[in-house]
Amino acid sequence: MGIAISVLGKLGLLGVDSLSTDQVYKKYFGPKNIMKYEDFHLAFVDLCSDFNLVMPGKHFTIQATEIQKFFEKWPKASADPGTESERKALLVEFMKEQVKEYKTSSRAMMLTGVTAPPAAILIKKAGKKVPPLKMLHIDLIPNVVFVPTVTVLFLIGVRILNVTRAAP
C-alpha cells in the first residue's frame, strides 16, 4: 500500500502525498503537547525507529545536535490551526534535508565475505597443529557447520566496526 501511495505522489497527485505525511505527523507529533526538547526528541526517535523498521534493508540516521537545532526553530503548539500546518511543513523539510541514508561499507563486507571461508579452513587446519587451538578441538566440528559460522561471525564483526566508526 505504501508503494502505491508513493508512486501516486510521484505522479503529481499532491493530495495523496500530503495524506501520508498528515498521518505520520498526527501519529507522532499531533496528540502530544510537545513543549520540551526531551518530549520532541522522544517523538522524533519513535518516528525514526518505526521508519527504520518498515524500510527493509535501508536505515536512516541523523545527528542529535541537528534535532536540537531544529527544535529551537520549531514553533510551539497553539490553538491556531495554521501553526500545526506550519509545524508539519517545517518537519517535512527538515526530514528531507537532514535525514541521511546510513550506508555501510559494502566493499569491506564483500571482501570479508570472500576471504572468510578460506580463513575458516586455514583456522581449522591450524587447529590440528597449534597447541592453543588444539585445546578447542576445532577438528571435531564439521566443515559444513564451521565455515558458515565463522563467515557470519566475521561479517557481524565488520558490521560492528562500521557502526562504531560511523557513530559520532
Side-chain angles (χ1 to χ4, degrees), residues 22 25-26 75-89:
D22 284 343
Y25 179 81
K26 284 179 185 173
K76 303 299 180 238
S78 71
D80 181 24
T83 306
E84 284 299 312
S85 61
E86 180 185 345
R87 291 169 78 177
K88 184 183 78 160

Side-chain angles (χ1 to χ4, degrees), residues 94-136:
F94 172 71
M95 296 282 286
K96 286 180 183 176
E97 289 176 7
Q98 297 296 327
V99 176
K100 307 289 185 223
E101 182 179 349
Y102 174 74
K103 296 188 182 216
T104 61
S105 173
S106 60
R107 183 175 180 191
M109 295 290 276
M110 201 91 118
L111 286 173
T112 302
V114 169
T115 58
I121 296 295
L122 289 175
I123 290 170
K124 191 160 181 179
K125 284 184 181 180
K128 294 178 182 175
K129 297 178 183 174
V130 178
L133 291 177
K134 204 174 204 181
M135 291 178 6
L136 297 174

Side-chain angles (χ1 to χ4, degrees), residues 1-14 16-18 20 55:
M1 179 167 167
I3 293 173
I5 289 175
S6 65
V7 168
L8 290 175
K10 301 278 189 240
L11 293 174
L13 298 173
L14 297 176
V16 174
D17 191 33
S18 177
S20 61
M55 298 299 286

Side-chain angles (χ1 to χ4, degrees), residues 19-161:
L19 173 69
S20 61
T21 55
D22 284 343
Q23 290 173 346
V24 169
Y25 179 81
K26 284 179 185 173
K27 179 177 180 185
Y28 295 100
F29 299 99
K32 301 173 184 171
N33 189 13
I34 297 175
M35 299 303 263
K36 299 186 300 186
Y37 170 70
E38 290 79 19
D39 298 334
F40 177 80
H41 190 257
L42 285 174
F44 195 83
V45 167
D46 286 343
L47 168 67
C48 291
S49 176
D50 289 350
F51 195 70
N52 282 336
L53 285 174
V54 170
M55 298 299 286
K58 288 188 176 185
H59 290 283
F60 298 88
T61 184
I62 187 168
Q63 298 285 333
T65 55
E66 296 297 325
I67 298 171
Q68 192 165 9
K69 288 178 192 175
F70 173 72
F71 180 72
E72 293 168 4
K73 295 188 303 186
W74 206 49
K76 303 299 180 238
S78 71
D80 181 24
T83 306
E84 284 299 312
S85 61
E86 180 185 345
R87 291 169 78 177
K88 184 183 78 160
L90 279 172
L91 183 67
V92 168
E93 190 63 32
F94 172 71
M95 296 282 286
K96 286 180 183 176
E97 289 176 7
Q98 297 296 327
V99 176
K100 307 289 185 223
E101 182 179 349
Y102 174 74
K103 296 188 182 216
T104 61
S105 173
S106 60
R107 183 175 180 191
M109 295 290 276
M110 201 91 118
L111 286 173
T112 302
V114 169
T115 58
I121 296 295
L122 289 175
I123 290 170
K124 191 160 181 179
K125 284 184 181 180
K128 294 178 182 175
K129 297 178 183 174
V130 178
L133 291 177
K134 204 174 204 181
M135 291 178 6
L136 297 174
H137 300 288
I138 295 174
D139 56 331
L140 299 177
I141 304 171
N143 283 347
V144 177
V145 175
F146 186 74
V147 173
T149 303
V150 170
T151 303
V152 167
L153 289 174
F154 282 175
L155 290 172
I156 290 171
V158 168
R159 175 76 173 172
I160 289 171
L161 286 174

